[in-house]
């Protein structure tokens, strides 16, 4: 086990690439640079609120045993081998080119060797950097709790994600206009230590491409492939092979989000990980009622660009931006386009493999595609709670008439379907019954397969909302319960959280929809 203050950090990114070394935090463009060296801004008092034992065990890091070590988690102390920096990247936001963005409220401290390779340790909320633009570089407790818990929850669900090692309070109030209604208020400040093999984004490649800094672009691409995709063969097609693999990882991530009902909420290209990880937890949500049109992000309401059901095609759009950034490194764009053209079939293959598990089928037969498609349509119409529906589907009784079917699914209904909607739902369930009657796996194996693919516990927004409110009042009970519950999403120890979103939470801010303000 290592003590955080004694880890020998590597700083390959800083050592390898051109960066602004001045340490100046003044907001500015940094052409020619892939990062800016910058120190965290100290806060009044760092207090440890949460520590991920699971991640700490993987990294072999000891839980902090002194205030001096806790101070590292809040940016009040930087160890001698760390070379803190903010990365420079660009992005397309809501479909529009936004130019330079960069780590405005994140600072990477260093890279450490650990299980399975190298890990970057990064603070989110440590104060201003040259990329903070007009903002403060801070994060509030509300959004930090959401990032901390959800990172670890997604990992426990088996969904690729950046991780979170710790959550600290800073003792510094932070001013936020949470509802964007001209009524800013102070909220407690906090900092999360995030961990990932890399925080590089699609936007990290769009930046040098847009600036026509082709040498920087080429070196960054080669370094990324050597370091994170070392299995790819060297040769003239290396970049294309890499792009195809990024597309595949991204497609897999989308299928995984669809499996667990996760809506990211801000799928801008600066929030797309080059490793296919879920990154930058903001106004995300799990689905409660099954609604592919649902976006949790109030800023996204006009176009619902980032709604649940759109995520796989938005990923394709974002991959198009990444492909565009790589084009200057290739003789022509034909093959890039060919890879993009394959995305849909790559995604569908992953989608159907995922649905096979979700529905507990022995295999996905060609005719099952119609079953999957009608299932989606029926769910969209009947809008049961997604998580509860699949749990009940796993335990579906062999027989029963229409009325008993609707009654059986009662725990999942926000509004029970009636008339032709009920008929359609019942018809689907009977179709499903017929299909599983011919399963080549036993009923027990079916239930097991479904149990491993369908979470029984998800971190619903209203639960997070309640946990945050209580924590802000000094009552950490619910927060702790969620922190424990998220570790076993498929086989919870008890069913305390196995309930629909309560009525009061449907319209309440922070319980269903959220703003980006964090
Ligand atoms: P996000 O919506 O979190 O993906 O952020 C988009 C951009 O805004 C990134 O460059 C962030 O670093 C920056 N940003 C967001 N919030 C803040 C903040 N409080 N202070 C400084 N920069 C911020
Ligand atoms: Mg972001």
């Amino acid at each position: 086990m290592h003590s955080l203050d004694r880890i020998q950090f590597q700083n390959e990114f800083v050592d390898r690439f051109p960066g602004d070394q001045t340490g100046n935090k003044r907001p500015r463009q940094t052409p020619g640079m892939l990062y800016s060296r910058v120190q965290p801004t100290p806060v009044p008092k760092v207090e440890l609120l949460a520590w991920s034992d699971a991640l700490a065990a993987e990294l072999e890091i000891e839980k902090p045993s002194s205030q001096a070590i806790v101070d590292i988690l809040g940016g009040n102390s930087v160890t001698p081998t760390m070379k803190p920096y903010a990365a420079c990247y660009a992005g397309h936001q809501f479909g529009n080119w936004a130019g330079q963005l960069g780590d405005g409220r994140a600072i990477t401290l260093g890279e450490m060797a650990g299980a399975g390779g190298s890990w970057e340790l990064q603070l989110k909320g440590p104060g201003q950097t040259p990329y903070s633009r007009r903002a403060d570089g801070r994060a509030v407790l509300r959004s930090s709790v959401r990032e901390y818990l959800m990172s670890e929850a997604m990992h426990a669900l088996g969904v690729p994600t950046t991780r979170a090692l710790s959550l600290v309070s800073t003792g510094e109030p932070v001013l936020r206009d949470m509802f964007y209604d001209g009524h800013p208020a102070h909220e407690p400040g906090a900092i999360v230590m995030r961990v990932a093999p890399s925080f590089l984004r699609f936007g990290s490649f769009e930046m040098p491409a847009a600036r026509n800094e082709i040498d920087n672009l080429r070196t960054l691409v080669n370094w990324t492939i050597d370091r994170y995709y070392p299995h790819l063969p060297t040769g003239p097609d290396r970049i294309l092979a890499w792009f195809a693999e990024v597309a595949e990882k991204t497609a897999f991530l989308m299928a995984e989000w669809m499996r667990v009902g996760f809506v990211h909420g801000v799928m801008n290209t600066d929030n797309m990980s080059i490793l296919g990880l879920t990154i930058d937890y903001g106004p995300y949500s799990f689905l409660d009622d099954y609604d592919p049109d649902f976006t949790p992000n109030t800023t996204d309401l006009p176009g619902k660009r980032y709604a649940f059901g759109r995520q796989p095609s938005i990923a394709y759009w974002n991959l198009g931006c990444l492909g565009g950034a790589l084009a200057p490194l290739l003789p022509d764009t034909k093959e890039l386009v060919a890879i993009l053209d394959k995305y849909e079939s790559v995604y569908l293959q992953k989608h159907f493999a995922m649905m096979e598990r979700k529905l507990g089928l022995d295999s996905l037969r060609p005719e099952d595609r119609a079953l999957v498609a009608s299932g989606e349509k029926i769910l969209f119409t009947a809008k049961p709670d997604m998580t509860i529906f699949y749990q009940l589907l796993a335990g579906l009784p062999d027989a029963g008439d229409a009325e008993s079917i609707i009654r059986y699914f009662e725990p999942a209904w926000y509004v029970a379907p009636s008339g032709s909607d009920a008929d359609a739902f019942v018809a689907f369930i009977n179709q499903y019954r017929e299909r599983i009657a011919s399963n080549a796996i036993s009923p027990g194996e079916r239930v097991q397969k479904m149990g491993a693919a369908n979470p029984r516990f998800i971190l619903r927004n209203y639960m997070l909302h309640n946990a945050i409110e209580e924590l802000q009042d000094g009552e950490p009970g619910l927060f702790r319960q969620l922190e424990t519950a998220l570790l076993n999403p498929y086989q919870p120890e008890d069913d305390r959280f196995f309930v629909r979103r309560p009525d009061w939470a449907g319209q309440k801010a922070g319980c269903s929809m959220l703003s980006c303000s964090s």
Side-chain angles (χ1 to χ4, degrees), residues 182-510:
H183 295 95
H186 285 289
E187 295 186 49
I191 294 177
V192 169
M193 183 177 277
R194 307 201 285 191
V195 181
S198 171
F199 290 95
L200 284 172
R201 303 128 194 280
F202 290 8
S204 309
F205 301 86
E206 290 179 274
M207 185 76 279
R211 287 184 165 147
N212 207 18
E213 296 168 0
I214 305 307
D215 283 346
N216 275 350
L217 177 65
R218 184 177 292 111
T219 333
L220 181 63
V221 166
N222 288 334
W223 182 81
T224 304
I225 301 175
D226 288 344
R227 194 172 159 95
Y228 300 108
Y229 294 80
H231 52 279
L232 291 176
T234 50
D237 290 338
R238 192 165 161 84
I239 294 178
L240 287 168
W242 172 62
F243 183 53
E245 196 166 322
V246 174
E248 185 176 351
K249 278 183 193 292
T250 305
F252 176 71
L253 182 67
M254 293 307 110
E256 284 291 278
W257 286 0
M258 302 314 275
R259 175 173 69 83
V260 299
F262 177 78
V263 204
H264 183 284
V266 207
M267 280 181 72
N268 295 330
T269 58
D270 54 305
N271 291 337
M272 296 292 292
S273 151
I274 203 67
L275 303 182
L277 308 172
T278 313
I279 190 173
D280 278 10
Y281 290 94
Y284 65 76
S285 179
F286 278 111
L287 286 192
D288 293 306
D289 50 309
Y290 188 84
D291 181 2
D293 251 356
F294 174 68
T295 177
N297 183 353
T298 49
T299 311
D300 189 34
L301 266 183
K304 296 195 175 186
R305 179 181 173 86
Y306 297 143
F308 177 69
R310 289 225 177 125
Q311 297 184 117
S313 51
I314 290 294
Y316 167 77
W317 193 91
N318 288 342
L319 282 161
C321 294
L322 177 62
L326 301 180
L329 304 180
L330 298 164
D332 61 61
T333 56
K334 243 188 5 250
E335 282 150 316
L336 278 174
V337 172
I339 292 168
L340 283 170
D341 284 347
K342 268 199 232 140
Y343 171 85
E344 186 176 355
S345 66
V346 169
Y347 171 72
L348 284 177
Q349 183 260 327
K350 294 187 187 304
H351 170 72
F352 285 119
M354 178 274 285
M355 287 308 293
E356 173 194 313
R357 296 172 57 211
K358 232 175 143 50
L359 292 170
L361 307 180
D362 52 358
S363 63
L364 205 111
R365 304 170 190 165
E367 63 271 23
D368 291 336
R369 293 187 171 218
L371 180 78
V372 170
S374 70
E376 267 159 30
K377 226 172 88 200
I378 297 301
L379 290 190
F380 192 9
T381 310
K383 290 197 177 53
D385 185 90
M386 178 177 170
T387 301
I388 298 176
F389 170 79
Y390 279 104
Q391 289 297 310
L392 294 173
L393 193 68
L396 187 68
D398 292 339
D401 61 4
E403 202 183 312
S404 73
I405 288 174
I406 300 293
R407 209 175 328 115
Y408 171 74
F409 282 95
E410 195 285 324
W413 299 130
Y414 288 92
V415 179
S418 57
S420 59
D421 289 351
D423 296 344
F425 181 80
V426 168
F428 169 71
I429 294 299
N430 284 326
Q431 207 187 340
Y432 176 72
R433 269 183 178 148
E434 242 172 72
R435 171 60 182 84
I436 56 175
S438 75
N439 243 351
I441 53 174
S442 71
E445 285 168 324
R446 177 182 72 88
V447 170
Q448 210 173 15
K449 192 164 180 169
M450 293 178 80
N454 294 301
R456 193 169 178 88
F457 171 80
I458 52 165
L459 262 182
R460 296 177 193 262
N461 271 347
Y462 85 88
M463 297 175 182
L464 284 161
H465 175 86
N466 284 350
I468 292 162
E469 297 241 299
E470 291 177 21
L471 194 61
Q472 286 179 344
D473 291 341
E475 180 39 70
L478 181 57
F479 172 78
R480 295 277 170 241
Q481 286 173 18
L482 296 180
E483 201 185 12
T484 304
L486 64 82
L487 297 172
N488 284 311
Y490 297 102
Q491 283 174 318
E493 270 166 30
D494 64 63
D495 264 348
R496 178 176 17 184
F497 297 115
F498 188 61
V499 281
R500 292 188 305 259
R501 177 193 62 213
D503 288 343
W504 63 262
Q507 300 306 320
K508 193 171 159 69

Side-chain angles (χ1 to χ4, degrees), residues 89 93 101-105 131-133 135-138 176 266 270-271 280:
Y89 52 81
Q93 298 184 314
L101 297 165
D103 287 332
R105 53 162 165 182
Y131 310 110
S132 301
R133 291 172 284 169
D136 56 12
R138 292 299 186 193
R176 285 289 179 274
V266 207
D270 54 305
N271 291 337
D280 278 10

